[in-house]
Each structure stands twice: as C-alpha cells, then as structure tokens.
Amino acid sequence: MSTLAAVTGNVASIGYGLAAIGPGVGVGIIFGNGTQALARQPEAAGLIRTNQIMGFAFCEALALIGIVMGFVYPSA
C-alpha cells in the first residue's frame, strides 16, 4: 500500500480556518440585523449600537480563542 499524499505542517491551522467561519457568520448576522433594527427604530440607535458592539466583541473573542488554541494544543 502506498501513500498518495501526506499532511505536513500544523493541522491546527486548518482547523482554525474552518472554525473562523462561525464568527464570520455571526458578525454578519449581528450587523445585518442591527442595520434593520436601526432602520425600523431610529430613536433606539444608542441601545442598538451598544448591543451590536457587545455582540461583535463576543464573536471576535471566540475567533481569538480559536487562534490561541492552535498554539496551546499543537498537533504532533
């Protein structure tokens, strides 16, 4: 039996690349729905914008945790 291809390098980088899709979709949903909410209720702009920024920060924190986990648990 012969090996056709071998995976070399850090497989965690592939995992992070796939895991980065989730926060990307989350950020898109947050700002898309926030824009709709601002169009429907412009008087609540301060509250909506605050919630958007908090949601964005939480989504990006998940992405950063994903980057760090690639270094904390390196593949052999």
Side-chain angles (χ1 to χ4, degrees):
M1 177 178 235
S2 64
T3 302
L4 296 176
V7 177
T8 60
N10 193 354
V11 181
S13 61
I14 296 170
Y16 172 67
L18 294 173
I21 295 171
V25 171
V27 168
I29 290 172
I30 288 169
F31 284 107
N33 289 337
T35 303
Q36 287 181 1
L38 284 171
R40 292 179 184 191
Q41 290 185 332
E43 66 275 2
L47 179 63
I48 294 169
R49 192 170 295 121
T50 302
N51 288 337
Q52 273 185 322
I53 292 171
M54 286 178 52
F56 172 74
F58 289 141
C59 281
E60 287 301 313
L62 290 175
L64 292 174
I65 289 171
I67 289 175
V68 172
M69 286 301 127
F71 293 109
V72 171
Y73 300 112
S75 60

Coordinates of all heavy atoms in Angstrom, one line a residue:
M1 N 0.8 -1.2 0.0 CA 0.0 0.0 0.0 C 0.9 1.2 0.0 O 1.8 1.4 0.8 CB -0.9 0.0 1.2 CG -1.8 1.2 1.4 SD -2.8 1.0 2.8 CE -4.4 1.3 2.0
S2 N 0.7 2.1 -0.9 CA 1.5 3.4 -1.0 C 0.7 4.6 -0.5 O -0.6 4.6 -0.7 CB 2.0 3.6 -2.4 OG 0.9 3.8 -3.3
T3 N 1.4 5.5 0.0 CA 0.7 6.8 0.4 C 0.7 7.8 -0.7 O 1.7 8.1 -1.3 CB 1.5 7.4 1.6 OG1 1.6 6.4 2.6 CG2 0.9 8.6 2.1
L4 N -0.5 8.2 -1.1 CA -0.6 9.2 -2.2 C -0.2 10.6 -1.8 O 0.4 11.3 -2.5 CB -2.0 9.1 -2.7 CG -2.5 7.8 -3.4 CD1 -3.9 7.9 -3.8 CD2 -1.6 7.5 -4.6
A5 N -0.7 11.0 -0.6 CA -0.4 12.3 -0.1 C -0.2 12.3 1.4 O -0.9 11.5 2.1 CB -1.5 13.3 -0.5
A6 N 0.6 13.1 1.9 CA 0.8 13.2 3.4 C 0.5 14.6 3.8 O 0.9 15.6 3.1 CB 2.2 12.8 3.7
V7 N -0.1 14.7 4.9 CA -0.4 16.1 5.5 C 0.8 16.5 6.4 O 1.2 15.8 7.3 CB -1.7 16.0 6.4 CG1 -1.9 17.4 7.0 CG2 -2.9 15.6 5.5
T8 N 1.4 17.6 6.0 CA 2.5 18.1 6.8 C 2.2 19.4 7.3 O 1.3 20.1 6.8 CB 3.8 18.2 5.9 OG1 3.5 19.1 4.8 CG2 4.2 16.8 5.4
G9 N 2.9 19.8 8.3 CA 2.6 21.1 8.9 C 1.7 21.0 10.1 O 1.4 19.9 10.6
N10 N 1.1 22.1 10.5 CA 0.3 22.2 11.6 C -1.2 22.0 11.2 O -1.7 22.9 10.5 CB 0.5 23.5 12.4 CG -0.1 23.5 13.7 OD1 -0.8 22.6 14.1 ND2 0.1 24.6 14.5
V11 N -1.8 20.9 11.6 CA -3.2 20.7 11.2 C -4.1 21.6 12.0 O -5.2 21.9 11.5 CB -3.5 19.2 11.5 CG1 -5.0 18.9 11.1 CG2 -2.6 18.3 10.8
A12 N -3.7 22.2 13.1 CA -4.5 23.2 13.8 C -4.8 24.4 13.0 O -5.9 25.0 13.2 CB -3.8 23.6 15.1
S13 N -3.9 24.7 12.1 CA -4.2 25.9 11.2 C -5.4 25.6 10.3 O -6.2 26.5 10.0 CB -3.0 26.3 10.4 OG -2.6 25.3 9.6
I14 N -5.5 24.4 9.8 CA -6.7 24.0 9.0 C -7.9 24.1 9.9 O -9.0 24.5 9.4 CB -6.5 22.6 8.4 CG1 -5.3 22.6 7.5 CG2 -7.7 22.1 7.7 CD1 -4.9 21.3 7.0
G15 N -7.8 23.6 11.1 CA -9.0 23.6 12.0 C -9.4 25.0 12.3 O -10.6 25.3 12.4
Y16 N -8.5 25.9 12.5 CA -8.8 27.3 12.8 C -9.5 27.9 11.6 O -10.4 28.7 11.7 CB -7.6 28.1 13.2 CG -8.0 29.6 13.3 CD1 -8.9 30.0 14.3 CD2 -7.6 30.5 12.4 CE1 -9.4 31.3 14.3 CE2 -8.0 31.8 12.4 CZ -8.9 32.2 13.4 OH -9.3 33.5 13.5
G17 N -9.0 27.6 10.4 CA -9.6 28.2 9.2 C -11.0 27.8 9.0 O -11.9 28.6 8.6
L18 N -11.3 26.5 9.4 CA -12.7 26.1 9.3 C -13.5 26.7 10.5 O -14.7 27.0 10.3 CB -12.8 24.6 9.4 CG -12.2 23.8 8.2 CD1 -12.2 22.3 8.4 CD2 -13.0 24.2 6.9
A19 N -12.9 26.9 11.6 CA -13.6 27.4 12.8 C -13.9 28.9 12.7 O -14.8 29.4 13.3 CB -12.9 27.1 14.1
A20 N -13.1 29.6 11.8 CA -13.3 31.0 11.6 C -14.6 31.3 10.9 O -15.0 32.5 10.9 CB -12.1 31.6 10.9
I21 N -15.2 30.4 10.3 CA -16.4 30.6 9.5 C -17.5 31.0 10.5 O -18.3 31.9 10.2 CB -16.8 29.3 8.7 CG1 -15.8 29.0 7.7 CG2 -18.2 29.4 8.1 CD1 -15.9 27.7 7.0
G22 N -17.6 30.4 11.7 CA -18.6 30.6 12.6 C -18.7 32.1 13.1 O -19.7 32.7 13.0
P23 N -17.6 32.6 13.6 CA -17.6 34.0 14.0 C -17.9 35.0 12.8 O -18.5 36.0 13.0 CB -16.2 34.3 14.6 CG -15.8 33.0 15.1 CD -16.4 32.0 14.1
G24 N -17.4 34.6 11.6 CA -17.7 35.4 10.5 C -19.1 35.5 10.2 O -19.7 36.6 9.9
V25 N -19.8 34.4 10.2 CA -21.3 34.4 10.0 C -22.0 35.1 11.1 O -22.9 35.9 10.9 CB -21.8 32.9 9.9 CG1 -23.3 32.9 9.9 CG2 -21.2 32.3 8.6
G26 N -21.5 35.0 12.3 CA -22.1 35.6 13.5 C -22.0 37.2 13.4 O -23.0 37.9 13.7
V27 N -20.8 37.7 13.0 CA -20.7 39.1 12.8 C -21.6 39.6 11.7 O -22.2 40.7 11.9 CB -19.2 39.4 12.5 CG1 -19.0 40.9 12.1 CG2 -18.4 39.2 13.8
G28 N -21.7 38.9 10.6 CA -22.6 39.3 9.6 C -24.1 39.4 10.0 O -24.8 40.3 9.7
I29 N -24.5 38.4 10.8 CA -25.9 38.4 11.3 C -26.1 39.5 12.3 O -27.1 40.2 12.2 CB -26.2 37.0 12.0 CG1 -26.3 35.9 10.9 CG2 -27.5 37.1 12.8 CD1 -26.4 34.5 11.5
I30 N -25.1 39.8 13.1 CA -25.2 40.9 14.1 C -25.4 42.2 13.4 O -26.3 43.0 13.7 CB -24.0 40.9 15.0 CG1 -24.1 39.7 16.0 CG2 -24.0 42.2 15.8 CD1 -22.8 39.6 16.8
F31 N -24.5 42.5 12.5 CA -24.6 43.8 11.8 C -25.8 43.9 10.8 O -26.3 45.0 10.7 CB -23.3 44.2 11.2 CG -22.3 44.6 12.2 CD1 -21.2 43.8 12.5 CD2 -22.4 45.8 12.9 CE1 -20.3 44.2 13.5 CE2 -21.4 46.2 13.8 CZ -20.4 45.4 14.1
G32 N -26.1 42.8 10.2 CA -27.3 42.9 9.3 C -28.6 43.1 10.1 O -29.4 44.0 9.7
N33 N -28.8 42.4 11.2 CA -30.0 42.7 12.0 C -29.9 44.0 12.7 O -31.0 44.6 12.9 CB -30.2 41.5 13.0 CG -30.6 40.2 12.3 OD1 -31.1 40.2 11.2 ND2 -30.3 39.1 13.0
G34 N -28.7 44.4 13.1 CA -28.6 45.8 13.7 C -29.0 46.9 12.7 O -29.7 47.9 13.1
T35 N -28.6 46.7 11.5 CA -29.0 47.7 10.5 C -30.5 47.7 10.2 O -31.1 48.8 10.1 CB -28.2 47.4 9.2 OG1 -26.8 47.4 9.4 CG2 -28.5 48.5 8.1
Q36 N -31.1 46.6 10.2 CA -32.6 46.5 10.1 C -33.2 47.2 11.3 O -34.2 47.9 11.1 CB -33.0 45.1 9.9 CG -32.7 44.5 8.6 CD -33.2 43.1 8.5 OE1 -33.8 42.5 9.4 NE2 -33.0 42.4 7.4
A37 N -32.7 46.9 12.5 CA -33.3 47.5 13.7 C -33.2 49.0 13.7 O -34.1 49.7 14.1 CB -32.7 46.9 14.9
L38 N -32.0 49.5 13.2 CA -31.8 51.0 13.2 C -32.8 51.6 12.1 O -33.2 52.7 12.4 CB -30.4 51.3 12.8 CG -29.4 51.1 14.0 CD1 -28.0 51.3 13.4 CD2 -29.7 52.1 15.1
A39 N -33.1 50.9 11.1 CA -34.0 51.4 10.1 C -35.4 51.5 10.6 O -36.2 52.4 10.2 CB -33.9 50.6 8.8
R40 N -35.8 50.5 11.4 CA -37.1 50.4 11.9 C -37.4 51.3 13.1 O -38.5 51.9 13.3 CB -37.5 49.0 12.3 CG -37.6 48.1 11.1 CD -37.9 46.7 11.5 NE -37.8 45.8 10.3 CZ -38.3 44.6 10.3 NH1 -38.8 44.0 11.4 NH2 -38.2 43.9 9.2
Q41 N -36.4 51.5 14.0 CA -36.5 52.3 15.2 C -35.3 53.2 15.3 O -34.4 52.9 16.1 CB -36.7 51.4 16.4 CG -38.0 50.7 16.5 CD -38.1 50.0 17.8 OE1 -37.2 49.6 18.4 NE2 -39.4 49.8 18.2
P42 N -35.2 54.3 14.6 CA -34.0 55.1 14.7 C -33.9 55.8 16.1 O -32.7 56.2 16.4 CB -34.2 56.2 13.6 CG -35.6 56.0 13.1 CD -36.1 54.7 13.6
E43 N -34.9 55.9 16.8 CA -34.8 56.5 18.1 C -34.1 55.7 19.2 O -33.7 56.2 20.2 CB -36.2 56.9 18.7 CG -37.1 55.7 19.0 CD -37.9 55.2 17.8 OE1 -37.7 55.7 16.7 OE2 -38.7 54.2 18.0
A44 N -34.0 54.4 18.9 CA -33.2 53.5 19.8 C -31.8 53.2 19.3 O -31.2 52.2 19.6 CB -34.0 52.2 19.9
A45 N -31.2 54.1 18.6 CA -29.9 53.9 17.9 C -28.8 53.7 19.0 O -28.0 52.8 18.8 CB -29.6 55.1 17.1
G46 N -28.9 54.4 20.1 CA -27.8 54.2 21.1 C -27.8 52.8 21.7 O -26.8 52.1 21.8
L47 N -29.0 52.3 22.0 CA -29.1 50.9 22.6 C -28.8 49.9 21.6 O -28.0 48.9 21.9 CB -30.5 50.7 23.2 CG -30.8 49.4 23.8 CD1 -29.9 49.2 25.0 CD2 -32.3 49.2 24.1
I48 N -29.2 50.0 20.4 CA -29.0 49.0 19.3 C -27.5 49.0 19.0 O -26.9 47.9 18.9 CB -29.8 49.4 18.1 CG1 -31.3 49.2 18.4 CG2 -29.4 48.5 16.9 CD1 -32.2 49.7 17.3
R49 N -26.8 50.2 18.9 CA -25.4 50.2 18.6 C -24.6 49.6 19.7 O -23.6 48.9 19.5 CB -25.0 51.6 18.4 CG -23.6 51.7 17.8 CD -23.3 53.1 17.3 NE -24.2 53.5 16.2 CZ -25.0 54.6 16.2 NH1 -25.0 55.3 17.3 NH2 -25.7 54.8 15.2
T50 N -25.0 49.8 21.0 CA -24.3 49.2 22.1 C -24.4 47.7 22.1 O -23.4 47.0 22.3 CB -24.9 49.7 23.4 OG1 -24.8 51.2 23.5 CG2 -24.1 49.2 24.6
N51 N -25.5 47.2 21.8 CA -25.7 45.7 21.7 C -25.0 45.2 20.5 O -24.4 44.0 20.6 CB -27.2 45.4 21.6 CG -27.9 45.6 22.9 OD1 -27.3 45.6 24.0 ND2 -29.2 45.8 22.9
Q52 N -24.9 45.9 19.4 CA -24.1 45.4 18.3 C -22.6 45.3 18.6 O -22.0 44.3 18.3 CB -24.2 46.4 17.1 CG -25.4 46.2 16.2 CD -25.3 47.2 15.0 OE1 -24.9 48.3 15.2 NE2 -25.7 46.7 13.9
I53 N -22.1 46.3 19.3 CA -20.7 46.3 19.6 C -20.4 45.2 20.6 O -19.3 44.5 20.5 CB -20.2 47.6 20.2 CG1 -20.3 48.7 19.0 CG2 -18.9 47.6 20.8 CD1 -20.1 50.1 19.5
M54 N -21.3 44.9 21.6 CA -21.0 43.8 22.5 C -21.1 42.5 21.8 O -20.3 41.6 22.1 CB -22.1 43.9 23.7 CG -21.8 45.0 24.6 SD -23.1 45.1 25.9 CE -23.1 43.5 26.5
G55 N -22.1 42.3 20.9 CA -22.1 41.0 20.2 C -20.9 40.8 19.3 O -20.4 39.7 19.2
F56 N -20.5 41.9 18.7 CA -19.3 41.8 17.8 C -18.1 41.4 18.7 O -17.3 40.5 18.3 CB -19.0 43.1 17.1 CG -17.7 43.2 16.4 CD1 -17.6 42.5 15.2 CD2 -16.7 43.9 16.9 CE1 -16.4 42.6 14.5 CE2 -15.5 44.0 16.2 CZ -15.3 43.3 15.0
A57 N -17.9 42.0 19.8 CA -16.8 41.7 20.7 C -16.8 40.2 21.2 O -15.8 39.5 21.2 CB -16.8 42.6 21.9
F58 N -18.0 39.7 21.5 CA -18.1 38.3 21.9 C -17.8 37.3 20.7 O -17.1 36.3 20.9 CB -19.5 38.0 22.4 CG -19.7 38.6 23.8 CD1 -21.0 39.1 24.1 CD2 -18.8 38.7 24.8 CE1 -21.2 39.7 25.3 CE2 -19.0 39.3 26.0 CZ -20.2 39.8 26.3
C59 N -18.3 37.7 19.5 CA -17.9 36.8 18.4 C -16.4 36.8 18.1 O -15.9 35.8 17.8 CB -18.7 37.3 17.1 SG -20.4 36.8 17.1
E60 N -15.8 38.0 18.1 CA -14.4 38.1 17.8 C -13.6 37.4 18.9 O -12.5 36.9 18.7 CB -14.0 39.5 17.6 CG -14.5 40.1 16.3 CD -14.0 39.3 15.1 OE1 -12.8 39.0 15.1 OE2 -14.8 39.0 14.2
A61 N -14.1 37.4 20.2 CA -13.4 36.7 21.2 C -13.3 35.2 21.0 O -12.3 34.6 21.2 CB -14.0 37.0 22.6
L62 N -14.4 34.7 20.4 CA -14.4 33.3 20.1 C -13.4 33.0 19.0 O -12.7 31.9 19.0 CB -15.8 32.8 19.6 CG -16.9 32.8 20.7 CD1 -18.2 32.5 20.1 CD2 -16.5 31.7 21.7
A63 N -13.3 33.9 18.0 CA -12.3 33.7 17.0 C -10.8 33.7 17.5 O -10.0 32.9 17.2 CB -12.5 34.7 15.9
L64 N -10.6 34.7 18.4 CA -9.3 34.8 19.0 C -8.9 33.6 19.9 O -7.8 33.1 20.0 CB -9.2 36.1 19.9 CG -9.2 37.3 19.0 CD1 -9.2 38.6 19.9 CD2 -8.0 37.4 18.1
I65 N -9.9 33.0 20.6 CA -9.7 31.8 21.4 C -9.3 30.7 20.5 O -8.5 29.9 20.8 CB -11.0 31.5 22.2 CG1 -11.1 32.5 23.4 CG2 -10.9 30.1 22.8 CD1 -12.4 32.4 24.1
G66 N -10.0 30.6 19.3 CA -9.6 29.6 18.3 C -8.2 29.7 17.8 O -7.5 28.7 17.6
I67 N -7.7 30.9 17.6 CA -6.3 31.1 17.2 C -5.4 30.6 18.3 O -4.4 29.9 18.1 CB -6.0 32.6 16.9 CG1 -6.7 33.0 15.6 CG2 -4.5 32.8 16.8 CD1 -6.6 34.5 15.4
V68 N -5.7 31.0 19.6 CA -4.8 30.6 20.7 C -4.8 29.1 20.9 O -3.7 28.6 21.2 CB -5.2 31.4 22.0 CG1 -4.5 30.9 23.2 CG2 -5.0 32.9 21.8
M69 N -5.9 28.5 20.7 CA -5.9 27.0 20.9 C -5.0 26.3 20.0 O -4.5 25.2 20.3 CB -7.4 26.5 20.8 CG -8.2 26.8 22.0 SD -7.6 26.2 23.5 CE -7.6 27.7 24.5
G70 N -4.8 26.8 18.8 CA -3.9 26.2 17.9 C -2.4 26.2 18.4 O -1.7 25.3 18.1
F71 N -2.1 27.2 19.2 CA -0.8 27.3 19.8 C -0.7 26.5 21.1 O 0.3 26.0 21.5 CB -0.4 28.7 20.0 CG -0.2 29.5 18.7 CD1 -1.0 30.4 18.4 CD2 0.9 29.1 17.9 CE1 -0.9 31.1 17.2 CE2 1.1 29.8 16.7 CZ 0.2 30.8 16.4
V72 N -1.8 26.5 21.9 CA -1.8 25.8 23.2 C -1.7 24.3 23.0 O -1.0 23.6 23.7 CB -3.0 26.2 24.0 CG1 -3.2 25.4 25.2 CG2 -3.0 27.7 24.3
Y73 N -2.5 23.8 22.1 CA -2.6 22.4 21.8 C -2.0 22.1 20.4 O -2.8 21.8 19.5 CB -4.0 21.8 21.9 CG -4.6 22.1 23.3 CD1 -5.7 22.9 23.5 CD2 -4.1 21.4 24.4 CE1 -6.2 23.1 24.7 CE2 -4.7 21.6 25.7 CZ -5.7 22.5 25.8 OH -6.3 22.7 27.0
P74 N -0.7 22.2 20.2 CA -0.2 21.9 18.8 C -0.3 20.4 18.5 O -0.2 19.6 19.3 CB 1.2 22.4 18.9 CG 1.6 22.2 20.4 CD 0.3 22.5 21.1
S75 N -0.6 20.2 17.2 CA -0.7 18.8 16.8 C 0.8 18.2 16.6 O 1.7 19.0 16.3 CB -1.4 18.7 15.5 OG -0.8 19.5 14.5
A76 N 0.9 17.0 16.8 CA 2.2 16.3 16.7 C 2.6 16.1 15.3 O 1.9 16.0 14.4 CB 2.2 15.0 17.5

